Amino acid sequence: MLALLGATALVLVAGTPWVLPAAAGGKNLNSSRNVEINIIDDNFILRWNGNGESIENMTFSADYQRPGMDNWIKLPGCQYITSTKCSFSSPKLDIYEEIKLRLRAEQGNTSWYEVISFMPFEKAQIGPPGVHLEAEDKAIIVNISPPGTIDSIMWALAGPSFIYSIVIWKISSSIEEMIETGYLRYKVDKLSPETTYCLKVKARLRTPRKVGVYSPVYCINTTAENKLPPPENLKVDVKNQNYVLKWDYANANVTFQVQWLHAYVRKNPGKHSHEWKQILDCENVETTQCVFAQNVLPEGVYYIRVQASDGNNTSLWSKEKKFSSDMQTTVLPPVINMKSVRDSLRVYIGAPREAENKRVSQYYPLSYEIIFWKNTSNAERKFLEKKTDFTIPNLQPLTVYCVKARAHLVDGKWNRSSVFSDTVCEKTKPGNTSKSWLIAGICIALIAVAVVIYGVKVLWKGINYVFFPSLKPSSCIDEYFSEQPLKNLLLSTSEEQTEKCFIVENVNTITTVEETNQTDEDHKKYSSQTSEDSGNYSNEDENSGSKTSEEFLEQEMV
């Protein structure tokens, strides 16, 4: 990008020209002819020189070609020119793409061609802005029109980014004052009444860096001093959810009115007197201040002005005061309520309250800085929360915790915060840990009772065994039960069952006879063994005993 300085338009050389082959029987234009393109706003000026050659009977024509095109398009106003320059308006093309421009010279049957390429936006210069002045007694209002035309193609996107430099001076003095503004209507105040002032204005762009040329010099006389001076030193403060506008004024017995205007409206050319709006709570104010609610003005950037009146006479409007609703925003501290839930605290953040306990509505997003600590400790814990209803978990049961909070604007560019709220304390309830210990204690108690009962039972058995022994059965009964008669039931069917009989011959003699189908050998063996068991009898009685048994068996069989 080129930086163009100075009061006159600089000629932009379009780079090294490219020479096309000549037509049959002709020759090329010499590159020393210096074909140049100069662009001011939307006006294109094509220049070249004759290089000392005679241009009698020679005509020039210019064509252009857009990217991707094969054919050349004739430039209106630049066909068959006999001079060394031609002017034309911006053709319908993309100013941000590179185009080609061809100059064709013709003399008789011979023609010459020369082609240059350029990007219109890079070559364009910023022309002088339009200026219109209005005079007051102590101020001059400068109305500026952007460079180019209303339908300008060149500055259609860059136009709103223009910065205007105003240079003003008294005609009787050489001291100049420079003022910069981004608005198209600017009031230069603190001037002397009935005095001639002159000024000039130029426009520039920051990105890409382009500096335009100054406008012609304009002069105007300020008017005679008004009977009622305008209010001065406007100041905007915030109290609770209200704006407090204050100003200075020396005269008494006057009333004031206040108007406001969106700042973005000032970006548009022309007067905006019909777009100023009255603040309803600031009409016919008799004091040097006015209080109105913040929600009267939507969020944004504004201008405010004040006018004084004594009935018959009206002052000029004060110097306009610019302010941003974001910058004037006061963040009020929140209101905290807490509720204990087991071993946690449920925190509720409410809107702040003003006079008469009315809730204050805040129309901007907030985040909250929470600080909490044990009531018995100074160790603080801090965290950020965007919700107005949240829980602080995993706290110690039956413990007092204290909480305080402050609000922050979510949009951090203004870095605004409230003061801390009042401290609120709450005691936590027994949590799940206490219940677990209670259940564990009950289980341990039940186990302990079971162990005690079992111990008592074992002890009681021991006492009974020692002090109250059970009666033992006779040896023969004990011997009988020890033989486990049920064992035979578990034997396979292949085994023969036996029956046991007891033969009582005498009271003191018990003989066991076992009937079986076993072999005689086994029977003899068993009888012999049985006879040996009754060892209380002598050998002399054996025969009589055997005989008696046989007789008894015979009687039983009969």
Side-chain angles (χ1 to χ4, degrees):
M1 302 299 176
L2 296 176
L4 306 177
L5 301 172
T8 60
L10 298 180
V11 175
L12 300 178
V13 179
T16 304
W18 175 47
V19 181
L20 285 177
K27 60 181 181 179
N28 295 334
L29 279 172
N30 194 317
S31 60
S32 62
R33 290 182 180 274
N34 296 327
V35 179
E36 302 164 347
I37 184 73
N38 183 26
I39 306 173
I40 300 177
D41 296 333
D42 289 271
N43 298 316
F44 289 64
I45 302 174
L46 184 64
R47 288 188 176 92
W48 60 94
N49 58 40
N51 197 25
E53 299 178 1
S54 174
I55 59 173
E56 293 182 4
N57 302 322
M58 184 177 291
T59 60
F60 300 91
S61 301
D63 307 320
Y64 73 94
Q65 186 182 66
R66 298 173 60 184
M69 295 177 57
D70 295 329
N71 58 319
W72 292 87
I73 303 173
K74 294 181 178 182
L75 278 175
C78 289
Q79 300 297 314
Y80 306 106
I81 304 297
T82 58
S83 62
T84 58
K85 74 171 184 177
C86 69
S87 300
F88 57 94
S89 299
S90 173
K92 294 182 179 180
L93 48 82
D94 187 348
I95 61 173
Y96 299 101
E97 67 181 7
E98 189 169 320
I99 64 171
K100 293 180 180 179
L101 194 65
R102 179 179 71 177
L103 179 64
R104 183 178 73 255
E106 296 176 315
Q107 189 175 34
N109 295 326
T110 307
S111 62
W112 298 262
Y113 299 91
E114 188 168 353
V115 177
I116 60 173
S117 61
F118 63 96
M119 182 183 294
F121 187 77
E122 288 185 352
K123 295 294 182 182
Q125 301 178 76
I126 301 174
V131 177
H132 175 71
L133 304 179
E134 298 178 25
E136 295 183 354
D137 57 350
K138 297 181 181 179
I140 294 174
I141 300 172
V142 183
N143 297 285
I144 303 171
S145 299
T149 61
I150 297 177
D151 300 327
S152 174
I153 296 176
M154 193 64 65
W155 312 123
L157 298 178
S161 302
F162 279 130
I163 302 297
Y164 300 98
S165 299
I166 302 173
V167 178
I168 186 171
W169 64 93
K170 282 183 182 180
I171 197 170
S172 58
S173 173
S174 59
I175 299 175
E176 297 181 343
E177 179 184 1
M178 178 175 285
I179 303 166
E180 286 197 341
T181 180
Y183 296 108
L184 297 173
R185 183 178 172 87
Y186 187 83
K187 187 174 185 178
V188 184
D189 61 352
K190 297 182 180 179
L191 303 179
S192 301
E194 299 181 293
T195 304
T196 302
Y197 288 88
C198 296
L199 57 82
K200 59 184 180 180
V201 183
K202 73 176 179 179
R204 66 181 176 88
L205 288 174
R206 291 194 179 99
T207 306
R209 181 170 175 78
K210 286 180 178 288
V211 180
V213 296
Y214 276 105
S215 67
V217 175
Y218 296 89
C219 297
I220 193 172
N221 292 328
T222 55
T223 62
E225 188 171 4
N226 199 298
K227 293 182 179 180
L228 283 179
E232 297 179 341
N233 303 324
L234 274 64
K235 182 180 179 181
V236 180
D237 293 326
V238 177
K239 184 176 182 180
N240 294 330
Q241 291 297 293
N242 296 322
Y243 290 123
V244 180
L245 176 64
K246 299 180 180 180
W247 57 87
D248 294 335
Y249 203 77
N251 296 15
N253 300 322
V254 294
T255 58
F256 304 93
Q257 63 171 332
V258 181
Q259 292 183 343
W260 67 276
L261 177 72
H262 278 290
Y264 67 81
V265 176
R266 298 282 297 275
K267 287 283 186 179
N268 301 324
K271 294 183 179 180
H272 309 290
S273 57
H274 63 285
E275 298 186 53
W276 285 87
K277 299 177 183 179
Q278 186 73 40
I279 297 179
L280 298 179
D281 295 333
C282 296
E283 293 179 302
N284 300 320
V285 179
E286 296 181 356
T287 61
T288 57
Q289 73 172 25
C290 171
V291 179
F292 56 96
Q294 283 188 355
N295 56 13
V296 168
L297 301 180
E299 187 176 350
V301 183
Y302 303 94
Y303 280 99
I304 289 182
R305 64 183 185 180
V306 183
Q307 186 182 56
S309 176
D310 64 357
N312 296 325
N313 299 316
T314 301
S315 74
L316 297 172
W317 288 101
S318 66
K319 183 179 179 181
E320 297 159 2
K321 173 68 176 179
K322 181 181 179 181
F323 81 99
S324 170
S325 61
D326 290 336
M327 295 182 65
Q328 298 295 333
T329 297
T330 298
V331 184
L332 300 178
V335 176
I336 296 179
N337 291 305
M338 285 197 305
K339 180 181 179 182
S340 178
V341 181
R342 295 181 181 178
D343 58 350
S344 303
L345 287 176
R346 191 69 177 267
V347 182
Y348 304 91
I349 297 181
R353 298 177 182 272
E354 55 181 6
E356 300 179 359
N357 205 29
K358 293 182 179 178
R359 288 186 179 272
V360 176
S361 297
Q362 302 188 101
Y363 301 97
Y364 33 81
L366 298 173
S367 62
Y368 300 95
E369 179 185 348
I370 313 298
I371 297 179
F372 71 99
W373 64 95
K374 287 183 184 179
N375 194 30
T376 57
S377 173
N378 293 327
E380 296 181 344
R381 284 190 282 176
K382 181 190 301 184
F383 64 93
L384 291 176
E385 184 63 55
K386 291 185 178 181
K387 297 179 180 179
T388 57
D389 182 355
F390 56 91
T391 300
I392 304 176
N394 303 323
L395 303 179
Q396 295 181 2
L398 301 176
T399 304
V400 177
Y401 286 87
C402 296
V403 176
K404 64 179 180 179
R406 64 176 176 177
H408 299 279
L409 281 176
V410 172
D411 188 355
K413 64 182 179 180
W414 301 117
N415 193 25
R416 291 185 177 273
S417 303
S418 71
V419 298
F420 276 103
S421 65
D422 296 333
T423 300
V424 178
C425 298
E426 185 72 22
K427 185 176 182 180
T428 56
K429 294 181 179 180
N432 294 330
T433 304
S434 300
K435 185 180 291 186
S436 300
W437 279 109
L438 179 61
I439 294 173
I442 293 173
C443 293
I444 292 173
L446 292 175
I447 294 172
V449 171
V451 171
V452 171
I453 293 174
Y454 179 77
V456 170
K457 186 177 180 180
V458 172
L459 181 62
W460 179 252
K461 285 184 178 182
I463 294 173
N464 286 338
Y465 180 79
V466 174
F467 296 100
F468 307 99
S470 59
L471 296 177
K472 293 183 178 181
S474 60
S475 60
C476 62
I477 298 174
D478 188 46
E479 182 181 350
Y480 167 71
F481 282 104
S482 64
E483 292 180 0
Q484 299 180 357
L486 294 178
K487 179 179 179 182
N488 295 329
L489 297 177
L490 302 176
L491 297 175
S492 62
T493 56
S494 62
E495 297 183 6
E496 296 291 339
Q497 295 185 357
T498 60
E499 295 182 0
K500 292 184 179 182
C501 297
F502 296 89
I503 301 174
V504 180
E505 183 178 359
N506 294 320
V507 176
N508 296 326
T509 303
I510 300 176
T511 303
T512 302
V513 179
E514 184 174 331
E515 292 184 1
T516 182
N517 294 326
Q518 296 177 352
T519 61
D520 293 340
E521 184 180 352
D522 292 335
H523 177 69
K524 291 178 180 180
K525 183 178 179 180
Y526 181 80
S527 299
S528 173
Q529 183 179 359
T530 305
S531 299
E532 291 176 0
D533 291 340
S534 56
N536 294 327
Y537 302 96
S538 63
N539 293 331
E540 297 176 353
D541 296 332
E542 286 181 359
N543 295 330
S544 60
S546 299
K547 183 179 180 181
T548 304
S549 298
E550 290 175 359
E551 292 175 356
F552 181 79
L553 290 172
E554 289 176 357
Q555 291 175 3
E556 288 291 325
M557 293 178 63
V558 175

